Each structure stands twice: as C-alpha cells, then as structure tokens.
Amino acid sequence: MVQQQTLTALGQRERKADALERVVGDARYGADFSLPGMLHAKILRSPHAHARIRRIDYARALGVPGVVAVVTAGDLRPGQAGAAHDAPAEAYDPGHEEEHAAGSRPNASRTVFAGAKALWAGQPVAAVAATTLQAAEEALGLIEVSYEVLPMMENAEQSMQPGAPLLHPNLFTTTLGVNADTPSNISTYVELVRGDVERGFREADVVIEDTYRTRMIHQGYLEPRATLAKVDPDGKLTIWVSSQGIFAVQQQVAEVLNLPPHRVRIIPTEFGGGFGSKGQGLLEPLAALLAVKTGRPVKMVMGRDEEFKAGRPGSPSVAWVKMGVKRDGTITAAQIRVIMDSGAYPGGPVGAATNLSFGVYKVPNLRVEGYDVVTNKPPVGAYRAPGAPQAAYAVEQHMDRLARALGMDPLELRLKNIAGEGDRMPNDTPLPRVGFRTTLETVKRHPIWGHRPSKPNQGRGIACGMWMGGLQPNSCFLKLNGDGSLGLEVGTMDITGTRTAFKQMVASEFQVPTERVAVTTLDTDTAPYASNSGGSKTTNTMGSAIKQASDNLKRQLQSRAASLLDLPQDQVGYRAGLFHSLRDPNRTVSLQDLGARSVAAGGGPVLASGSAGTFKAAPSFAAHVVDVEVDPETGKVTLLGYHAFQDCGFAVNPTQVEGQMQGGVAQGIGWALTEEYVFGDGVMRNPTFLDYRMPTSLDLPLIEPTIVQVPNPDSPYGVRGVGEVPLVPPMAAIANAIYDATGARITELPMSPERVFWALHRKS
Amino acid sequence: MVQQQTLTALGQRERKADALERVVGDARYGADFSLPGMLHAKILRSPHAHARIRRIDYARALGVPGVVAVVTAGDLRPGQAGAAHDAPAEAYDPGHEEEHAAGSRPNASRTVFAGAKALWAGQPVAAVAATTLQAAEEALGLIEVSYEVLPMMENAEQSMQPGAPLLHPNLFTTTLGVNADTPSNISTYVELVRGDVERGFREADVVIEDTYRTRMIHQGYLEPRATLAKVDPDGKLTIWVSSQGIFAVQQQVAEVLNLPPHRVRIIPTEFGGGFGSKGQGLLEPLAALLAVKTGRPVKMVMGRDEEFKAGRPGSPSVAWVKMGVKRDGTITAAQIRVIMDSGAYPGGPVGAATNLSFGVYKVPNLRVEGYDVVTNKPPVGAYRAPGAPQAAYAVEQHMDRLARALGMDPLELRLKNIAGEGDRMPNDTPLPRVGFRTTLETVKRHPIWGHRPSKPNQGRGIACGMWMGGLQPNSCFLKLNGDGSLGLEVGTMDITGTRTAFKQMVASEFQVPTERVAVTTLDTDTAPYASNSGGSKTTNTMGSAIKQASDNLKRQLQSRAASLLDLPQDQVGYRAGLFHSLRDPNRTVSLQDLGARSVAAGGGPVLASGSAGTFKAAPSFAAHVVDVEVDPETGKVTLLGYHAFQDCGFAVNPTQVEGQMQGGVAQGIGWALTEEYVFGDGVMRNPTFLDYRMPTSLDLPLIEPTIVQVPNPDSPYGVRGVGEVPLVPPMAAIANAIYDATGARITELPMSPERVFWALHRKS
C-alpha cells in the first residue's frame, strides 16, 4: 500500500458529497419530478394470492372524469405495447393466454401484469392514468375483475411437495443448467459435494444437526419507488428513475415495450435506499406503457403499503444443518440443505446461500444442497448479501453449539477451521487473498474480547460471514477543466457514498484537494456504461476505471508540461498539482496553467476515459460480537453492545465504511429481533411501519466498527466490497448471545419477545 | 472528398435533431425552469444615457411585502460579492468609487452594474428579488436614485472629437497593443498598410470615394434572455442559462462573484437564438449575486423592451472608402476608414471590419484604418459576422460604382480582382485554399445570371463577402452502448443544428443509421470543454474532435473484434456495423455483439474522447444576387427574387446549410430596408417589434440557396463555417439593386421608403 503514503485524500474521512443537499431537503428524489400535462397513475393489485383471472372490465373506470387510460396485460400482447388502438379497449379477457402469462421463466414483460392468473396478493392487474391522483384512485375501485380463487402455496416446504398445485405449468427444475422432465414449483436445485460426508461424520467426536428458519423481510428503504415517464415527440422514452442501476432499468423497459434500449433514456434521480431491491424497475415499465398509450408524461409513486405488499422483499429460508467435529475442534464433515422461498417467480438467492454457507471454513467432507422454490408470496428481490445471512443464521449458530459441546472458545473454534488463500469454496473455486484470519485475530486482540458481560441474563455471541463481492464492469470519463479542476463522469448510482470515494480517488491521483474534483452521475444516453450499484462492487470496480483514466490524463498532461518546459517527458515529475523539471524543481507548470492553455488555443481540451471489465473476486469478511440482556419475564432482548469487525481491503473513506457496517448491523438487528412479513390467506397483514417493526435509533446500541485492512491485490487501491457483509453475522451472533445469556437456543427468526419467552419456558 | 462516397450519412438531408420537440412545445427554454422557493428578480435601469449617480436609496423598496433583497454595485465591492451583511444595507453611495466604476477596460464585474456613473440608458443600477414578480416590479418604482445628468455622446464621430467629454476617464487608445498617453473615447485604432495608396490612386483611371453609414441593429432572436440561479448547500452555484457558450458564462459569473470557475455550474437550457449576442451572460451574474445574497433560487427573465434597450446589439458604423481602378478593371489602390460605435464599453468589431474590408480582393496598394469608439449607447455585442457586413456595405457598393463607371459587368469586375490561395489579407496573412472564385463562377453559370429583371423600376444587385471562421477548441466524449448504438457527449450549444451534423458524422464514421447515435449536450461540470458556438466554427472544429474520437473507438473495437475472430488486427475490416475477416467476409462481429459483450463481462465498456485545439483558418465566401422593384411614389423596395451562393466547404447537412443561408439573408434584408435603433436623448425610442421593424415571412421573397463546396483541407469532412457569411452581402446587394432600378445611390441604412423616396427626389 505505497499509495496510502502519497495519495493523500485516500483513507481520509471525507464528508459525503451529497450530505448537505440531503439534509437541507435540496436533493430531488423520484417523487420530486413533475412535468406539465403530467398524468398520475395508480395500480390495481390482486387481492388474492392465487387466482384465475376470467375478465377485467374497465369501461366504468374509463368513465371517471379525468381518467385517460387503463392498461392491462392485454396491452402487452406481442406487437401491442404502445400501439394506438383504433377503438380503445374497455376490457381484457385473458382467454387462451394462460401459457403466455404462466410461462416458464417469466421475462421482464411477464412480470409486469398478471395475465391469465394472479400469482400473489399484490400483483398488478391493471393500471390507471388520470389527470389527478384522486381520479386514478377512484377508477381503481371501478375496475371489475372476475377472479376464480385457486389453492395457494404459502411456504416453500409445502410448495415443493410432490403433487403440490403448480404456479407455473411450464416451470421445470434446473440442475446444473439442465431442466427436469416434469414441471415443479422447485425452480433450481443446487448440489455441491466434496469428499465423503458420511465418513466425515463417522470420524467426528461431536455431531449436531438442526433446522433454522428465517422470514420474509423488507429492505425498509426510506424512499418508496417513484418514477416519471414521458414520450419525446419522436417516440423516444425518457424516464426519471430512482434505482440502483439505470442501464438495468433501460434494458427492462426496452424489453417490456419491445424497443431497442437506445430508444429508452433513463435519467437517475437522487436515491433513497434500495439495499438490492431496486436493482430492477417495477413501476417504470408500467409508467412507460401508460406514457406511450396516452402520449403524456405519467408519474407513478408507490405507497408504503404497496412497497411492503408488492416490492421485492428478501427471501424466507429453511436450512437443515449437520456438522461434525473432532475433540480438538477440527471440522470433519458438514452438510446443509437450504430451501429459499422466492415468492411468485423463480430467482431466489440459492446460489449464494449454498456457496457461502461453508465458504469461510475448511471442510474436508461437505454436502451442500439448495432449493429455490416458488410460492404464492410476493416475488423476492435482492436484500443485502442475498442468501448469505440466511445460511449464516444456521451455520454460525451451529459453530456456537459445537464450541459449547467441545467446551471451546467459539472464536478459537473458528480460528481453528478458518479458510485462507487457496482453500476451496463449496463450489470448488479457490479463495484468493482474504482477511478472514486477520479479522478474527483482530477480534481476539481487541479489548472487548477480554471483557464479557457478566450479570445474570446477560450473554455474548459471536458470528462471522463472508461475501464474494460483485465484479461487473464499470467505466468513467475524466476531464481537466480550464481552471485546473477535474471532472469525473459516471453512470453508477450513488447508494453508499461512492461519489465521495471516487472524488477521493481522483483527488489522490492528482494530489489535489477533493473540492477540486466534481463527480457527476449522468444518464443512459450520456453516461459511460455502469453496472448496477449492488453486490458490493462499485468502489472496487470503478476504482480500476478511475485509475486507468487518471493515468491516461496524467500522461497527456505530462507530455504537454514537457513540451512547455522544453524537456523530454521522462525528465518531468509531478507533485501536488505541479509538473516540474526533475533537475530543477523550481521550473514548474501547474494543472491550472495546463487547464487554461487547453481551453484557449494549443493542444485542446484534455480528456480521458477508463474502462474496467475483468476483475478477480475479492471476498470480504465480517466477525461480529454482541452482548445482550434477556428479560426472563417478557423474553425481550436488549442489546448492550455491538462490535463489528470487517476486512474492507482498504478503506477509501473510513467514515463511509463504518456507516455501511453500522447500517448493515442495524438491519440485521431488525431481522434478528422484530421484522417479519405476517401473512393471512397469502396476504401480508402488517404493511405499515407500525406493524412491520424495524429498529429505530432508540432500539440500537452504539454499533462500534473496527476496520481491518487486508488489501485486495486486484484493486489499484486495495478496495474490497463493503456494503453487504455486515448483514451476514448479526442474526446468528444475537442468537448465540441469547443462548449465552439464557441457555435457550432459538432457531427461528425473528427472535421476538414471544418466541424467546416460550423458548425460556420450554427450557425450564 | 472520398468520404462522401462511403460515409453515407454525410451530405444527406437529415431532419434536425430537436425539430419535433421545438415544434410541439416540448423543448424547455430559459424561462421554463423553476424551483421551489424561487424568487423573481427585476432590474432597475438608468433612464439617462450619461449621468453621475449620487446615491441609491432602496429602504422603501425593501419594505414592499415579498421583497427579499436589493443589490447594487455596492454588492460588488471587492470582497463583498455574496458576503452576508450583518445589518442589511438600505442604500448605496458610490462615493469615491468613480475610478473603480469608470475604470479603463471594464472587466466582467464592472459591466454588471452602474457604479459612480451610468453610461447608457438601460444600464442596470439595482436589482430586486422578491417572492413574486409583481412585488419585484413594485419595488423597482420605490428605489430612489439621485442622478446628475452629464453631457452625452450620441454617436462615434462626435465622441471621437478631441476634447469630447470622456466616458471612461482611464480609457486610452490602444494601437497594436500599445496604449496612448492621454485618455480618449477611441478605445482601439487599427492601421493596415500595403504598398503606396497615393501612387496607386495616381495609376488608376477611375477613382471614387464616398461615406457609408449603418445603424445600431438588434439580433431579434425569439427568446429573450432568461436565467435561474441557485446556491447549493455547500455554496456552489448552479445556473440554468440560455447561451451560446456555457463555459464563457461560467468564467464570467466566476469573475463577478470572485469564485473559482469550478464552483459555478452552468446548465444549458434549450436555446432560442442569439446570433452572437448571447456569447456573454447579462442576467446570470445578477441572478447569481441575488441567489447568494438570499440563499434562494432566483429567476430573471428579460422583457422584449429590455432586450432592445439593454441587450447587446450590433455596432453602427461609418465607413469612408476610396478606390481606384484601371480601365481594364484592375484595382490599383483602396483605402477605407471605418469607425465602429461600440456603445458604452470598448469592444466593437473593428478587427473584422478592417481585415475583411478588402479580404476578397487583390489590392496592391492598400490603406485600412479602423476606430473603435465608445458612446453613450447600449454596449454592442456580436451580431453575425460582426464588422463584416458594415465594411461590405461600403466596399461592395463601391465595387458596383466602379463597374458602372468602367461600363463593366459587376460580376466580371469582381472576377477580375478576386483573391485566391496565397493572396494576402489586409493584415498580411495569406489566404488558404478558398472558394471565392469558384463561387463567383457558379453565379456566372447559374441560369438566373442570364435573366435580369427588365421592367421599369426593377433592378438587380450583386455583392459578396467573406468570413474567416472561428477556430477555438472543441472536444467530445464518445461511447459504444450495450445495444451497439453510440453516444456522443459535447458541451457546445446547438444554435444552428450542430447536434444533427455531429450525429451524421458519428453515424458516417460507423456507417450506421443516424437514429443509432445520440448526441447530448452536457453542462460545465460534465461536458468536455467547448468554446462558444459562434464565429462559424462549431461543425468544423468539433468535426475534428469527432473524427479523432471515432477513430479511437474504432481502433479499440477492431482489436476486440480481431480477438473474437481470432485474427490479427490487420486482417479485420469494417463495413456498416460489422467487423469482418478480410479473407472470409462471412466471419463477422457486429457492433451489437461488441456492445453486448462490453457491458457484460470481458473488456469492459468501450469509450473514447476527441480533442481539437489547433486549426487552420478556413474562410467562407458568399455572393448574393437580388432583384428589386422600387415604387417611385413611396420609395418602398420590394424584393422580387434573392439568390444566395455560398462556399461551405462541405455541406454535412445541406438542409441546415440552406437554412443558415436563408436566415442570414432574412436578417440582412432587415438591416437593409427597415431595422434601426431610433434614439431620442440617448434613449432607444422604438423598443418593440411593432416599432423596430424586422422582416416577417410576408416581407421576404423565396431566398434561393446554392451551395458551393470547395473543401476545407484542414477539416476531416471538408467543413467550413457557414452561419455568419450570409449576412455580409445583402445590404450592399440590395443597395446596388436599388441603384440599378432607379439610378439612386443610397449610402445609409436602413434604405427605408422615406430614405429611398428622398434619394429619388434628389436625383430627379
């Protein structure tokens, strides 16, 4: 890390680039955009979790004054999207479209509207655009949908039973890319095997097995989805979107409306949180469809209840785990069977759940099975490290149980088995350089490890977890301005403070103050391509692009400076905004000089670009230590202290890294103690922040972050992904702490007062 | 011009990129932008053409409900701009600031507000920001300014007299960069001499001299100036601007507010015409000042009357010309003394007026003198080929008179003396390859040249003119999108259809349809540097940048294609969206393939930039032929036909070139026949479109353009500047036609019915 000494802005605590504008209300989010002549749109949603749709009659809705258009799946028939109707339809009869609507792996357009069947309560059935929101809402009540209610699959274990009613008649289980012969509600089956688990269990001195359950949870971002779509006079679509990735939404809208992507321009708004869920568009295709149909701008904003019922929440899971260890702590065998409930469509995070389940430990004999199963629940999306927290809740409790069975310190048991460079993941890929052991040793050396809570009903838990980090391409434009300042243009959405980190990188490359660097997010027409901000990758992957662009720009400037100084290029050095003669440091040319010359006459403006497409995996790792006190009268768990340790490779902006660590833990505490979707007849019954209980600042202890830095050798700045891994350990850590405090082992989330109370009751 | 055969989009009649959005009212101009909490601002202007300002008392204005702030020159004292006042001032007393306010060459901040003196009627004295426009306007009436009226210089000839009262006590005449010793109202004196004019006149068979006068005229753009300024929470300014150049306005605002330019972000709006005038900001520094003072967004829109009285109109001029020719038509000597009235500040177009006066002819003995003189009129700005029409009105009439005196065809006289490559301009620079002669020969061959109007009171005139073309830098970013389409990003304002031309260039480079190219104008934070759109240069200079970026992008793509085809790079060809094996043309990789691969994994996004800074001059040339009929009873001139011939180098989009030619002629007809600023006591008395009479479509004949193409060897596409030169010949051509029809020689603009009537009267 030579860079750290010379590239001064890196590693500094830089104020978040957009902090002030957010605080004073100046930032413009999705719902803040409007246009003259704009229509407001609302969605009619299925009240049933599974129902055949016989007919949708919207003649009366069209009669509401102010209502301009109604769209249904009928508007998405091939060749239909955006077509002007000679006589406007007033009803939609799915007829023989069942195959279409209920096809195998639904593509983008098939998830927009219910066709012949509604597959979950909350699924869009129709959408109305009207001159006022009131008219649109009134019209929703006048759309007559004739439903035939079907049997409903409320959970994955039920849904995967042989003979269970099928959601998608053409969905076949995929195993290693091969489809099964008969349709099933299991969309994917994963099996990863190493060695001989049965022999491994025979070699073990202690074998424990159990089943662990997690619930459907919502990401709980502050900003509900909102969008504004307009059709340009030449038919090109422009859509304002609050999203994790403008190019992903562009692709999706283009697919639904059957347009080439370049005919869809996605303009990003400021972003009020997504945590994975907003990696795809939900409203955008509908708003676009209505804009095309009406020729007017269409605004669509989701209510909080719609977000809960029809957002893209995180997967519930069931994991059965069996592990065996020798008396000295060596793991001899491990087995996990994890079932991910993906809601109405295929696409749960079974890949990460299976591969990361035993990614941090050396397991000589391993058998991992995973199932991705569709149910009549809202379709899931990504939620921060999707799949990994679910697996860790099981495996990291199991590690705790094994340590107790052996009488070993749980940290020592982990250190005994921790994987390192070259060790193989469950899917057989070898680990690159990682900071697993270094992080655990940092915990061990930390003062808190020697100071355990000691009062009655108090206890401590530790758990760890990993995340691979995303590796999709990113790119940037870079320019020197006339006043010697620098401009960086990107297409990545800033969801974790990445603009600030980019600014620090450019500032460091040129050894100038960060205020001399502007970082701007462009749109799909103008931005250099960016992959979604998600998967813990943006700072890492864009770092490579920024380094490339900076090097290129510096080379050009050095050449111009050499020419001005009348020196060969290799006789010109650079330091803190000044090119100088290596022989005579007093002969200098400043960035300002070069900037001023570039915009007047001479060589012309100085521009560069950077593009990064291939990366090596750079897994991140977290170990969390939590102290709790459990009220034996009520079962309420109070967190006394929380210490999060994490290897982030290199912390470009330690404040932002700590913020990610604290935020991830806060969400994990919600998963652990209070959050869950409560269903009745397949309908989510608690779609408000009063009834879906996320932790507030009053519920949280000080979450104390400790950054560990084991550089990623593939990143010019040593960066690893930061955002996801803090959500992996909390649930298991808290469960382990509750056991430590009470002797009660809780294997199901949320570990609510009621559930803890009954666990204490059962134990005693 | 090999390119023309293969680069298919070049030279095609492409629909203007922004045509539809303008037509349907979708384009957003300066006044279309608003922000929450926005204030409306209005300017108090001096009613006097020259007056000392004793005190500005705005206590009562501040008392108007809704008024938030008043600013005066007091807010521009050094260190003052944007400073929060402990106790808000309620008055401004210029006191001893005379030297400051009336300093030598006023910099940006000194032209914003009148200081100790008002120098022209219409000059801003104070500005008010209020919650409503009504409150701001009411407050203007309550600002008490105590003026002491001073003697006024109404025209340049009066102002340049020795002993004339001085406008700027510290303004000294500059001659070849050297200041005179004593102050003067003459800001610049130019003298260009070749050979011996006295000897040349002695060698001539015919010598004619006369004086010609042109008036102050307004560019008459549809969109009056409008701006919206806001201060970001961190103090950075963001300003929406309708301008010819965002970087120029950025520089100006930064200078006035004493900020580094990168702390000012200029966002361009759609643009409703400027013709040179909007190369600088007028409202922007004031709106910015008020935004800083109030902390709120401030919108400022000029009324049409304000545009007339306080825009930046074109210079009036007086030109005395003397020319001598031999009997065979050879020019032996020429002399011109041209006085440009620059209004209240130095900066008239005396450079172009002098150098272009005899740029198109070979003149062995030449004496050119020019004066730039300040007067108490509105300060002038650029108006399409600034200086050239004024000089051509004199010289091209003179050519006509010499031809008549010699009994020669006026076209033949011009062909006899026309300059060509290597001939020297008045300022001694040699002409590069030009199309002067080719254009004149095209006129000669054109059918109309053989068909003259022949009825009584009808006549024909011909005149020509040149323009050097601007040469400032331009640059661009270029990217390949995931769907194989292309995106070009620029910072140039599109005032003549340049986005369309750029689109054609990129489409041609890649041999794809133009709809697969998006061209977007960014802002000062994000755009690659662009010089002002003006001076007839944007298509020419950006063309070089686009070629560079396209070549770079193609090289990268060829390398990727080669790798995919498993061929050495030199074995890979390209045609119409497909890279192919040179040996086996069926082995191909498409742009779409490469785009899709670039955004998934692989090499990463494909980006390039282009930067062009040094150019060779590429003069453009026009020859106009006009037929008129003069009503002897009223003096009214009716145009029977108008043919404009112009060398544009290469016409990227012939429709746009023709549009520029027709537009320039239409403006020239206004200069020629109807337009003038009418002053009384130094105040413009006709500041409406009723009284300042611009031609409407009903006043115009069909203006028939003929494009001549003599490629500019310095441009990859052969492009020359197009926009300015069509305004150079019309006034002289029409004067010559009037003479041809009536025998009356008019030497003063506008050649209104009244002036023509009296000329006919004097003649008879």
Side-chain angles (χ1 to χ4, degrees), chain A residues 15 17 20-22 24 26 28 35-36 230-234 236 247 250 260-263 265 472-483 485-489 515-518 520-531 556 560 597-614, chain B residues 15 17 20-22 24 26 28 35-36 230-234 236 247 250 260-263 265 472-483 485-489 515-518 520-531 556 560 597-614:
Chain A
R15 193 180 69 186
L20 273 174
E21 66 198 63
R22 289 184 184 243
V24 303
D26 217 35
R28 297 182 73 201
L35 282 173
K230 83 180 269 283
V231 186
D232 294 340
D234 70 349
K236 184 169 177 173
F247 290 94
Q250 180 191 43
H262 71 272
R263 299 289 293 160
R265 181 178 191 173
Q472 292 76 27
N474 269 323
S475 60
C476 63
F477 288 129
L478 182 64
K479 62 165 182 158
L480 178 74
N481 292 317
D483 66 355
S485 64
L486 295 144
L488 181 79
E489 276 82 73
E515 55 265 30
R516 294 190 69 77
V517 181
T520 315
T521 309
L522 299 175
D523 61 60
T524 53
D525 265 15
T526 58
Y529 178 80
S531 48
Q556 295 180 54
R560 293 189 186 202
R597 283 167 193 273
S598 75
V599 303
V606 195
L607 310 173
S609 60
S611 169
T614 48
Chain B
R15 193 179 71 189
L20 273 175
E21 66 197 61
R22 289 184 185 244
V24 303
D26 217 38
R28 298 181 73 200
L35 283 172
K230 81 179 272 283
V231 186
D232 294 339
D234 70 348
K236 183 168 176 172
F247 290 94
Q250 179 191 43
H262 71 271
R263 299 290 292 160
R265 181 179 193 174
Q472 293 77 28
N474 270 323
S475 59
C476 63
F477 288 130
L478 182 63
K479 62 166 181 156
L480 178 74
N481 292 317
D483 65 355
S485 64
L486 296 143
L488 181 79
E489 276 82 75
E515 55 266 31
R516 295 190 68 77
V517 181
T520 315
T521 310
L522 299 175
D523 60 60
T524 53
D525 265 16
T526 58
Y529 178 79
S531 48
Q556 295 181 53
R560 293 189 186 202
R597 284 167 192 274
S598 76
V599 303
V606 194
L607 310 172
S609 59
S611 169
T614 48

Side-chain angles (χ1 to χ4, degrees), chain A residues 16-18 21-22 28-30 33 223 226-227 239-250 265-281 284 472-476 488-502 519-542 546 656 660 723-724, chain B residues 479 526:
Chain A
K16 201 158 173 263
D18 55 335
E21 66 198 63
R22 289 184 184 243
R28 297 182 73 201
Y29 294 89
F33 289 78
E223 185 196 19
T227 194
I239 314 181
W240 285 258
V241 170
S242 172
S243 155
Q244 290 179 231
I246 52 176
F247 290 94
V249 176
Q250 180 191 43
R265 181 178 191 173
I266 305 292
I267 299 180
T269 71
E270 201 47 87
F271 184 70
F275 307 105
S277 176
K278 291 183 189 162
Q280 57 187 313
E284 293 75 8
Q472 292 76 27
N474 269 323
S475 60
C476 63
L488 181 79
E489 276 82 73
V490 297
T492 43
M493 298 304 93
D494 184 354
I495 68 174
T496 57
T498 47
R499 275 175 293 196
T500 314
F502 300 164
V519 178
T520 315
T521 309
L522 299 175
D523 61 60
T524 53
D525 265 15
T526 58
Y529 178 80
S531 48
N532 269 10
S533 290
S536 292
K537 70 155 172 294
T538 308
T539 307
N540 174 8
T541 57
M542 188 66 87
I546 288 173
Q656 294 285 135
Q660 286 299 311
E724 332 263 317
Chain B
K479 62 166 181 156
T526 58

Side-chain angles (χ1 to χ4, degrees), chain B residues 502-516:
Chain B
F502 300 164
K503 182 184 281 211
Q504 291 173 275
M505 289 171 176
V506 175
S508 290
E509 288 297 332
F510 290 89
Q511 301 171 30
V512 296
T514 49
E515 55 266 31
R516 295 190 68 77

Side-chain angles (χ1 to χ4, degrees), chain B residues 59-110:
Chain B
R60 288 178 61 211
L62 285 172
V64 174
V67 169
V68 180
V70 176
V71 289
T72 67
D75 293 83
L76 291 172
R77 285 179 177 127
Q80 195 78 331
H85 302 265
D86 283 342
E90 296 192 336
Y92 166 57
D93 174 356
H96 302 293
E97 294 184 30
E98 179 163 1
E99 293 313 291
H100 165 80
S104 175
R105 313 242 150 203
N107 64 19
S109 72
R110 292 188 190 174

Side-chain angles (χ1 to χ4, degrees), chain A residues 355-442:
Chain A
N355 190 38
L356 301 186
S357 59
F358 286 97
V360 303
Y361 299 118
K362 288 186 275 202
V363 182
N365 301 293
L366 180 68
R367 181 177 177 84
V368 173
E369 286 175 287
Y371 298 87
D372 196 3
V373 181
V374 293
T375 63
N376 294 114
K377 291 222 264 307
V380 304
Y383 185 166
R384 212 167 187 159
Q390 289 92 335
Y393 183 58
V395 171
E396 289 295 309
Q397 284 208 66
H398 238 69
M399 289 296 286
D400 196 67
R401 294 165 90 161
L402 292 167
R404 288 178 186 278
L406 296 168
M408 256 181 108
D409 178 302
L411 176 54
E412 290 301 335
L413 179 65
R414 287 174 170 85
L415 277 165
K416 177 96 190 169
N417 294 285
I418 198 76
E421 187 168 356
D423 286 328
R424 290 184 179 267
M425 308 271 300
N427 71 0
D428 210 38
T429 53
L431 283 173
R433 185 182 183 194
V434 289
F436 298 178
R437 179 172 295 278
T438 309
T439 305
L440 289 177
E441 282 168 351
T442 305

